[in-house]
């Protein structure tokens, strides 16, 4: 199980915003942007900044995916 930011990248594509512009709009660091790109954990503060910059909600940016464990 884990979080993915695929929806965030869909939002940026739809809005024609590149990652550098997103970083600047949201006031996040390069390391946060890198963690987002790798689907790693980021702070709630960073996510809140992104929501405000894009005027969207949690479900528009983050998705929780269950991993298949082979027992199904």
């Amino acid at each position: 199980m884990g979080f993915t930011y695929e929806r965030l990248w869909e939002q940026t594509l739809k809005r024609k915003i590149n990652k550098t512009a997103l970083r600047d709009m949201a006031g996040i660091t390069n390391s946060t942007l890198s963690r987002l790109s790798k689907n790693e954990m980021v702070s709630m503060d960073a996510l809140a900044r992104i929501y405000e910059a894009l005027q969207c909600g949690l479900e528009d940016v983050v998705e929780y995916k269950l991993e298949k464990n082979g027992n199904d």
Side-chain angles (χ1 to χ4, degrees):
M1 62 186 153
F3 293 96
T4 179
Y5 302 103
E6 292 172 14
R7 291 181 180 176
L8 170 60
W9 309 126
E10 291 170 5
Q11 287 290 325
T12 59
L13 282 174
K14 192 173 10 176
R15 298 168 190 235
K16 298 181 180 166
I17 300 170
N18 65 30
K19 289 182 179 182
T20 302
L22 174 65
R23 180 200 65 202
D24 295 343
M25 288 172 58
I28 58 176
T29 64
N30 284 329
S31 62
T32 298
L33 188 61
S34 176
R35 286 194 301 274
L36 288 165
S37 296
K38 297 174 187 175
N39 289 322
E40 295 176 353
M41 299 296 276
V42 298
S43 72
M44 290 301 291
D45 179 62
L47 291 175
R49 290 169 181 254
I50 292 168
Y51 306 149
E52 290 176 18
L54 297 179
Q55 294 294 296
C56 65
L58 175 69
E59 67 281 353
D60 299 316
V61 174
V62 180
E63 182 179 12
Y64 183 76
K65 289 192 174 183
L66 294 172
E67 292 181 5
K68 304 277 183 190
N69 62 12
N71 294 332
D72 297 330

